[in-house]
Amino acid sequence: MDNISRRGLLTGAGAILAAGSLGAPTAVARPVRTDALTPTKRFKMSATTNEFFRSKPLWGPTVMQSFAFDTPNNRLFTGQLRSGTVENSGDLTLSQLSFSGTVLGHMYLTGFGHAVSIGAEAVGGTTYIWTETDADTTNGRGRQIARFPWQNGATLTKDSASLKKWKPVSNGSVFTPAVDQRYGRLGVRYSLSDGMHINVYSLAAARAGDFSTVLESFKQPALTAGVDFQGWTLYGSYAYFWEGEAYPGAPDETKANSKLWCYDINAGKIVDSFLTLAGKSLTYREAEGMAVYGSTDATARLYFGFASGVTGDRRANLFYRNDLV
């Protein structure tokens, strides 16, 4: 990201201050969880790094904030802040890319948020995108989540007819979604007065607007103090987190702080983490976005992204792990 720091707003004690500034009450909503998620395999954080593509311009071209795969239809989408808009407007650009990183299309989303995380869901040959929406102009973050069909070249506002939107947690703020396509779940990350939390729902129920049953609910664990949170995703009974900051200029791996984290939802604890030097030769190299591709363990890949390049010519870079344990 270029202009807005996520530090403090999204983790730790800073999240308390951010939530308070948004008017979140001091009482914390505690959704009732159902049975634990069926245990699954997890991605190994220290596994071999594979490069997907490097130094690809997006539509804009602004910094990639997040990305998502529509696995059944083999489609890739990225979320970005829209070029030329005012700070905290919540105006976004979505790009559709080929798997070689070529731009195939775009959409504009007016007043939606910051695109810390987006999701994609296949319904036949149509891709539905999940994002935040209804941006709070004091911080540029979404106050609800939304679902809508991909429409190349379209511009949506928070009141567009094709948009469905919800506030799953009544006293929450700073919402972002993540879609677990294989296991049919939707994750919703949100801020309360004591920090960031994540609820897990049935994807089928969520797309029908039913958030009454929470499959799991947990507070996001503490990650590295003073390092920006840059993305998250779900796969089975695990949540994954991504953090890191840009190099201050030319490549310098001694300043690298991009780290992958794996959280066991059922056990309620971090079970793996790894400081990665993937893309260490990139100029700027800011961790941005995380998503899973794959419909089986054999095809599953945990992707993590970096922004690179210079101001006015930012580029997207994707790497992945595919070892499950």
Side-chain angles (χ1 to χ4, degrees), residues 178-260:
V179 174
D180 181 345
Q181 296 168 95
R182 180 180 176 188
Y183 292 95
R185 296 178 184 134
L186 175 74
V188 177
R189 183 174 180 266
Y190 58 96
S191 176
L192 292 176
S193 59
D194 67 339
M196 302 305 297
H197 293 250
I198 292 173
N199 287 0
V200 181
Y201 303 93
S202 157
L203 182 59
R207 67 173 170 251
D210 181 2
F211 294 90
S212 61
T213 300
V214 181
L215 303 180
E216 275 285 4
S217 181
F218 60 95
K219 183 179 179 182
Q220 181 179 305
L223 304 179
T224 306
V227 176
D228 288 342
F229 183 91
Q230 303 285 17
W232 71 285
T233 194
L234 298 175
Y235 186 73
S237 58
Y238 294 89
Y240 297 89
F241 304 111
W242 180 221
E243 66 178 14
E245 296 171 296
Y247 289 131
D252 182 356
E253 66 182 75
T254 66
K255 294 182 172 63
N257 59 6
S258 299
K259 196 169 187 177
L260 299 156

Side-chain angles (χ1 to χ4, degrees), residues 103-320:
V103 174
L104 302 176
H106 74 282
M107 289 183 71
Y108 291 132
L109 309 178
T110 302
F112 273 56
H114 196 72
V116 173
S117 175
I118 64 173
E121 174 194 0
V123 180
T126 300
T127 302
Y128 282 81
I129 304 296
W130 288 82
T131 66
E132 64 197 283
T133 192
D134 188 22
D136 182 337
T137 56
T138 65
N139 58 25
R141 265 56 175 186
R143 293 179 286 199
Q144 299 184 80
I145 60 168
R147 177 182 183 267
F148 54 89
W150 170 261
Q151 300 168 272
N152 186 28
T155 297
L156 300 184
T157 72
K158 65 178 182 178
D159 299 315
S160 293
S162 61
L163 184 75
K164 302 294 184 183
K165 58 184 180 179
W166 306 276
K167 189 173 185 179
V169 181
S170 61
N171 61 337
S173 60
V174 192
F175 287 92
T176 56
V179 174
D180 181 345
Q181 296 168 95
R182 180 180 176 188
Y183 292 95
R185 296 178 184 134
L186 175 74
V188 177
R189 183 174 180 266
Y190 58 96
S191 176
L192 292 176
S193 59
D194 67 339
M196 302 305 297
H197 293 250
I198 292 173
N199 287 0
V200 181
Y201 303 93
S202 157
L203 182 59
R207 67 173 170 251
D210 181 2
F211 294 90
S212 61
T213 300
V214 181
L215 303 180
E216 275 285 4
S217 181
F218 60 95
K219 183 179 179 182
Q220 181 179 305
L223 304 179
T224 306
V227 176
D228 288 342
F229 183 91
Q230 303 285 17
W232 71 285
T233 194
L234 298 175
Y235 186 73
S237 58
Y238 294 89
Y240 297 89
F241 304 111
W242 180 221
E243 66 178 14
E245 296 171 296
Y247 289 131
D252 182 356
E253 66 182 75
T254 66
K255 294 182 172 63
N257 59 6
S258 299
K259 196 169 187 177
L260 299 156
W261 298 82
C262 176
Y263 179 84
D264 185 331
I265 298 173
N266 289 333
K269 63 180 181 180
I270 294 288
V271 292
D272 197 5
S273 63
F274 186 74
L275 184 69
T276 180
L277 293 178
K280 64 182 181 180
S281 63
L282 295 172
T283 297
Y284 183 74
R285 189 185 181 268
E286 183 176 20
E288 297 284 5
M290 176 176 258
V292 172
Y293 171 90
S295 56
T296 66
D297 280 353
T299 60
R301 296 176 174 183
L302 175 67
Y303 283 83
F304 52 98
F306 292 99
S308 65
V310 297
T311 301
D313 187 22
R314 297 299 193 200
R315 301 300 178 100
N317 309 265
L318 293 189
F319 300 84
Y320 67 90

